[in-house]
Amino acid sequence: VHPTAARRPHAITVQSENTLYTDEHITAKFFNRGAEVNVTNGQFNITPTVQEYEFQTKRTPGKTGLMMIGIGGNNGTTLCATILANRYNIIWHTKAGVQQPNYIGSLLRASTVRIGTEPGSGKEVHVPVSDVLPMVHPNDLVLGGWDISGVPMDKAMERAQVLDYDLQRQVAPHIALLGKPLPSIYYPDFIAANQEARADNVIPGTDKAAHLEHIRADIRKFKKDNELDRVVVFWTANTERYSDIIPGVNDTADNLLASIKSSHSEVSPSTLFAVAAILEGEPFVNGAPQNTFVPGAIELAERHHSFIGGDDLKSGQTKLKSVLAEFLVNAGIKPLSIASYNHLGNNDGHNLSAERQFRSKEISKSSVVDDMVDANRLLYKAPEIGPKGVPVGKGEHPDHIVVIKYVPAVGDSKRAIDEYYSEIFCGGRSTINIFNECEDSLLATPLILDLTILTELLTRVQYRQVTPNAREQKDFAPLYSVLSLLSYMLKAPLVKPGTEVVNSLNRQRNALEGFLKACIGLEGSSDLLLETRIW
Ligand code: NAI
Ligand code: DG6
């Protein structure tokens, strides 16, 4: 029995000539306001701009599947077990008392958005983010996926040692029904050698084109067997090493497809999975740091109008860093160095103890302060301009180091230590130290859910530019393939090539809130609160 929790009908209706509801769609007008800045001889000439758009959102989320690559790992098993606990309302005993299942840590299901004010009192009204537009409920996701380890899901949950014993005991009969993960693609060169003992569930052979077809067939079968409208394919498998970007191999869509045909050694398992999802027209999200989305994969997604998002779940240390670094720089304080250490003892930590896999993680953890530093050239010197008018280097930057160590004894409970050493007023110094301890997989799981649910939603949103001349009206089109609106949950957000990465957590959240509101015809949150500032 699959008890679908009682669902509230969609709770929000916007009464405005800009928002139109039909049984099938919500269509809303949106005015994209900006400012064009021309700089001449140090003078900033600014022209406000406005462009009208319409967003159209399909109202009914389809039946959605989540296929995880690495389903038998800590994140995969924790996600399956906690969805089942929520779905069947399993309560369990801990040494602190009785625990209910919940979705704490999910931006969509456990946080709210300010939607307006009450007439008269002016009191602010907040609603759950998941109420702004119709979204899939996590309890309703159909779960499946691949793992190179063939341990059945109940035993894999036990192996992960994340959840309390009493919860594991009660969830076991449910999670056991998921059986054994589907066999997966294993190319030993991409993950740490210490993972080899796990790899007992692999698709045979070395023919990459055959592997691609195998994965495509798995996605189609899962979709058909479960009568799904949408399958989100999600990489939560081991961190791979970076793939070399080689002209003629993975730099264009055609070259990448040809390299798969010739089983080129530089095509990674994660890129093969991404290509499979893209060709099946299903979205693919990369929850790990490696460069799965080589230029050829991005071009392929564009060509097929498929959706992709990544990279690397932003769970704890990096999330805090993106807030703290922005706070310091926006307060006019100059971080001179940021030193981040963490140690953990789960299988992720074991894999990351290998140099090349650590390097992938180091890159994704290091980029997070770049845009904040670039935005403040009062504190940090801009790069020198070379003889051809091109900037040389990146300009002044705080020292930033990232260290990860594998300490088996602490298991999934990650310890993260950060020192922020900054210059303050007139030569003073400030040191902030942070120590955080938490179960890594319990931070990551809600992010996987949010990414999956948002991705499904974004596949239902279309847009069109409104031109002054109605006869030139364009048809509604899907959003751009790279879903940068997912950035809030990702350490190294993938963005449209040629556009800037935004790492500020606040800006990422504002973008998401602003977009969800735009789809129902509301303006993004303004903190001007004019009515509180005037008579
Ligand atoms: P894990 O090591 O427990 O699980 C990974 C699973 O992937 C393992 O079961 C392994 O057998 C499987 N695997 C490896 N290569 C595979 C392949 N080619 N195909 C299918 N399965 C494969 O790791 P965990 O803790 O679940 O993390 C998963 C990923 O998420 C890692 O890359 C990690 O760096 C990333 N991540 C985790 C965060 C967290 O807070 N837990 C946060 C950010 C990223
Ligand atoms: C060691 O850093 C393990 C990693 O997989 C992290 O737990 C993960 O990348 C989360 O990192 P952060 O910086 O978002 O807490």
Side-chain angles (χ1 to χ4, degrees):
V1 190
H2 176 161
T4 303
R7 303 272 183 271
R8 288 189 297 143
H10 188 55
I12 288 182
T13 313
V14 177
Q15 290 164 342
S16 153
E17 60 181 17
N18 287 340
T19 310
L20 177 74
Y21 291 87
T22 63
D23 285 349
E24 212 184 334
H25 293 118
I26 304 171
T27 308
K29 278 194 171 47
F30 172 67
F31 299 92
N32 193 29
R33 297 180 200 283
E36 213 174 78
V37 185
N38 287 299
V39 189
T40 332
N41 300 331
Q43 282 294 314
F44 296 83
N45 297 309
I46 305 168
T47 317
T49 56
V50 60
Q51 171 61 55
E52 191 180 339
Y53 289 89
E54 275 182 348
F55 289 113
Q56 185 167 77
T57 310
K58 202 162 164 240
R59 293 183 76 166
T60 323
K63 191 176 176 195
T64 302
L66 167 59
M67 289 190 92
M68 286 173 281
I69 308 126
I71 190 173
N74 282 25
N75 289 350
T77 54
T78 304
L79 184 139
C80 294
T82 49
I83 285 192
L84 291 166
N86 275 284
R87 189 186 289 169
Y88 296 103
N89 198 21
I90 294 170
I91 58 166
W92 66 99
H93 292 264
T94 71
K95 65 182 176 189
V98 171
Q99 179 65 49
Q100 310 275 349
N102 59 42
Y103 284 115
I104 287 186
S106 155
L107 176 142
L108 298 181
R109 302 228 59 97
S111 85
T112 61
V113 53
R114 184 154 47 93
I115 205 87
T117 50
E118 270 178 13
S121 70
K123 205 166 164 274
E124 292 182 339
V125 178
H126 297 86
V127 296
V129 178
S130 56
D131 276 357
V132 179
L133 282 170
M135 297 185 200
V136 175
H137 193 290
N139 287 5
D140 296 337
L141 289 170
V142 179
L143 302 167
W146 305 262
D147 203 297
I148 55 169
S149 159
V151 171
M153 286 299 286
D154 52 334
K155 298 291 170 216
M157 167 182 71
E158 220 176 291
R159 173 179 63 186
Q161 299 181 6
V162 174
L163 300 169
D164 284 330
Y165 169 72
D166 192 33
L167 174 57
Q168 286 190 37
R169 184 183 62 77
Q170 296 183 71
V171 161
H174 300 285
I175 200 170
L177 296 177
L178 292 175
K180 196 177 136 176
L182 294 168
S184 193
I185 304 170
Y186 176 53
Y187 304 147
D189 180 41
F190 282 88
I191 58 175
N194 61 34
Q195 299 296 304
E196 198 180 344
R198 257 177 117 97
D200 59 4
N201 189 41
V202 304
I203 304 170
T206 52
D207 179 343
K208 294 194 177 184
H211 288 170
L212 175 67
E213 285 316 310
H214 187 118
I215 299 303
R216 290 186 65 179
D218 283 346
I219 298 172
R220 283 198 296 272
K221 182 170 186 316
F222 185 72
K223 197 170 173 185
K224 184 159 175 275
D225 289 354
N226 294 290
E227 298 174 337
L228 302 173
D229 301 294
R230 176 62 71 213
V231 180
V232 177
V233 182
F234 203 112
W235 183 274
T236 180
N238 287 150
T239 295
E240 295 175 334
R241 69 162 172 85
Y242 256 50
S243 299
D244 293 336
I245 306 299
I246 307 173
V249 171
N250 47 16
D251 55 340
T252 69
D254 288 333
N255 289 342
L256 178 60
L257 292 173
S259 300
I260 293 172
K261 252 192 188 151
S262 65
S263 297
H264 194 284
S265 59
E266 214 45 35
V267 181
S268 65
S270 67
T271 299
L272 268 185
F273 272 96
V275 169
I278 289 167
L279 294 179
E280 287 304 312
E282 302 297 345
F284 181 92
V285 181
N286 178 26
Q290 71 277 341
N291 61 343
T292 299
F293 300 118
V294 294
I298 298 177
E299 194 187 324
L300 193 68
E302 287 171 342
R303 186 184 287 175
H304 288 266
H305 290 272
S306 290
F307 293 104
I308 55 175
D311 296 312
D312 205 9
L313 304 170
K314 178 165 58 190
S315 47
Q317 190 171 40
T318 306
K319 218 170 217 158
L320 189 58
K321 190 177 288 176
S322 68
V323 174
L324 210 54
E326 189 189 34
F327 143 61
L328 290 167
V329 174
N330 281 357
I333 292 171
K334 181 179 181 181
L336 298 170
S337 65
I338 304 174
S340 299
Y341 305 84
N342 64 75
H343 64 268
L344 74 170
N346 57 17
N347 189 53
D348 180 27
H350 198 200
N351 182 60
L352 293 173
S353 64
E355 185 51 35
R356 293 189 303 171
Q357 286 65 32
F358 164 71
R359 181 64 190 136
S360 297
K361 193 63 101 176
E362 186 184 34
I363 292 171
S364 81
K365 273 176 168 276
S366 300
S367 56
V368 69
V369 298
D370 291 355
D371 54 334
M372 295 148 204
V373 168
D374 284 350
N376 189 331
R377 292 300 175 198
L378 294 174
L379 290 176
Y380 296 97
K381 278 198 210 89
E384 306 268 322
I385 303 296
K388 290 186 183 147
V390 181
V392 180
K394 285 177 68 181
E396 198 185 0
H397 200 273
D399 298 338
H400 187 184
I401 60 149
V402 170
V403 178
I404 302 173
K405 292 291 169 198
Y406 176 51
V407 179
V410 302
D412 200 61
S413 180
K414 188 175 70 174
R415 273 79 166 147
I417 304 151
D418 290 89
E419 182 190 87
Y420 295 80
Y421 178 61
S422 305
E423 179 178 345
I424 58 169
F425 192 48
C426 289
R429 292 290 182 269
S430 150
T431 306
I432 301 173
N433 287 308
I434 311 276
F435 184 88
N436 174 241
E437 183 187 328
C438 62
E439 293 97 339
D440 222 14
S441 309
L442 296 182
L443 284 183
T445 295
L447 304 186
I448 298 179
L449 290 173
D450 283 347
L451 286 163
T452 303
I453 292 165
L454 274 176
T455 298
E456 189 283 332
L457 168 66
L458 296 174
T459 66
R460 281 185 285 122
V461 179
Q462 300 214 314
Y463 79 101
R464 72 177 170 198
Q465 213 172 333
V466 178
T467 52
N469 179 354
R471 273 187 301 170
E472 285 172 21
Q473 198 67 285
K474 297 199 177 104
D475 288 338
F476 280 101
L479 297 175
Y480 175 66
S481 290
V482 176
L483 297 176
S484 53
L485 280 166
L486 305 177
S487 299
Y488 184 90
M489 292 100 197
L490 295 162
K491 271 208 263 294
L494 188 72
V495 298
K496 191 179 196 170
T499 62
E500 287 184 11
V501 178
V502 173
N503 285 299
S504 152
L505 198 70
N506 284 323
R507 290 186 63 196
Q508 291 169 343
R509 187 173 162 123
N510 281 344
L512 191 54
E513 270 192 38
F515 183 80
L516 297 178
K517 285 181 168 182
C519 290
I520 54 171
L522 296 180
E523 293 286 323
S525 295
S526 160
D527 284 317
L528 180 57
L529 303 177
L530 188 60
E531 54 288 358
T532 69
R533 327 252 184 226
I534 54 177
W535 293 106

